[in-house]
Amino acid sequence: MSYTGPDFEPSQPRRSPLRRALTVAVAALVPGALLGWGVYAAVGGPGEGDGGGSGRAGGAGTPAAPSSGAPASGAPASSPGDGDGKKPAGSSPAPTSKAPSASGPALPASGPLTGKVVVIDPGHNPANFQHASEINRKVNVGTHWKECDTTGTATNAGWPEAKFTLDVAHRLRTLLQEQGATVKLTQDGDRSFGPCVDERARIGNEAKADAAISIHADGSGAGNRGFHVIMPGSVHDGAADTRAIVAPSAELGERVAGAFVRVTGTAPSNYLGDGTGLVTRTDLGGLNLSTVPKVFIECGNMRDRTDAALLTSGSWRQKAAQGMSEGIVSFLRG
Ligand code: ZN
């Protein structure tokens, strides 16, 4: 499979003929980009949220670095999931393997978010690649049918997005619990695959979340850098009805984006959102089926070596979580 999966659907916003032309140009580059892509592409590509319009603009003229499996210089070959790939073990705030226990059986804290419920959706699942048939099953997202879930992307060195998202989710959970919030994850590495995108939305709905955030990193062309927050557009079709959450989700998105810039010092996407770091989409099941204020955040582009150096850094991931937390706290405090 290739990028021409759920990520390049025609229903996604395309602003101009120029972008369409760039899409074609970028598509021509994909075979090179896919060398070394390995099992991730074989099972479904980056998936919901990722690559949405990414690679359409800005990628032209900056060919995706062909990778034959050799680690990119910006991405450590060893597993950055064990901490900051650039520093000795133990120097990063919370290595992946310890992050869950860091939040562990935390006593209910009192704080500004006491009584508030936040659902964190770590995009994809580290084991999705072992369950191709299950995650390729189509689910109805109101406007159309799409894959249950996808594998997500990876750095050129092979570190999966699904490990990134879970690590950041753990860090964010800890920060929000410290503010008194009740936090629920849609998956915690405790399922053999998924959940499907419709279930990811349903978990937030059933929790009556005051805010929900789906964490991702993008899989775009080299040279495409920066983060963007995806907000739901107005959809009223089948089981999808976002009309009541468009405004609060936009506010949530703006606050998260603002805090993310301030805390991480990372610039908004240079390839989507016209420099705002904000993008509206109507094709994502995780947003279309949500009845609670919800946004996605694409924290950076895993396929760009400069962004990958940030994404694989434990200390940067802590800042990313801090930025999301401050945005959510700001939103919930009003
Ligand atoms: Zn993703």
Side-chain angles (χ1 to χ4, degrees), residues 178-235:
E178 287 171 358
Q179 298 292 316
T182 298
V183 181
K184 182 175 178 60
L185 267 58
T186 58
Q187 58 96 1
D188 196 3
D190 51 354
R191 305 172 61 129
S192 56
F193 67 91
C196 298
V197 295
D198 56 343
E199 185 180 351
R200 289 174 187 268
R202 194 160 58 242
I203 290 169
N205 299 345
E206 291 179 351
K208 296 183 168 52
D210 296 288
I213 186 165
S214 186
I215 300 172
H216 291 258
D218 213 351
S220 187
N224 288 344
R225 292 198 54 202
F227 79 94
H228 63 279
V229 174
I230 305 172
M231 308 175 300
S234 184
V235 171

Side-chain angles (χ1 to χ4, degrees), residues 54-130:
S54 52
R56 290 203 181 104
T62 37
S67 164
S68 55
S73 61
S78 59
S79 168
D82 296 331
D84 187 334
K86 290 182 181 295
K87 295 176 182 173
S91 68
S92 47
T96 295
S97 59
K98 294 179 183 171
S101 61
S103 62
L107 295 172
S110 62
L113 298 193
T114 300
K116 300 290 187 183
V117 177
V118 179
V119 167
I120 304 172
D121 177 37
H124 316 283
N125 180 318
N128 272 356
F129 74 96
Q130 296 170 315

Side-chain angles (χ1 to χ4, degrees), residues 234-252:
S234 184
V235 171
H236 185 210
D237 195 356
D241 185 355
T242 61
R243 293 173 295 175
I245 66 159
V246 165
S249 298
E251 185 184 343
L252 172 63

Side-chain angles (χ1 to χ4, degrees), residues 146-172:
K146 69 187 303 182
E147 286 78 6
C148 152
D149 204 14
T150 47
T151 58
T153 186
T155 64
N156 290 333
W159 190 51
E161 179 191 355
K163 291 193 174 178
F164 168 83
T165 66
L166 199 52
D167 176 88
V168 175
H170 290 153
R171 296 171 190 270
L172 177 57

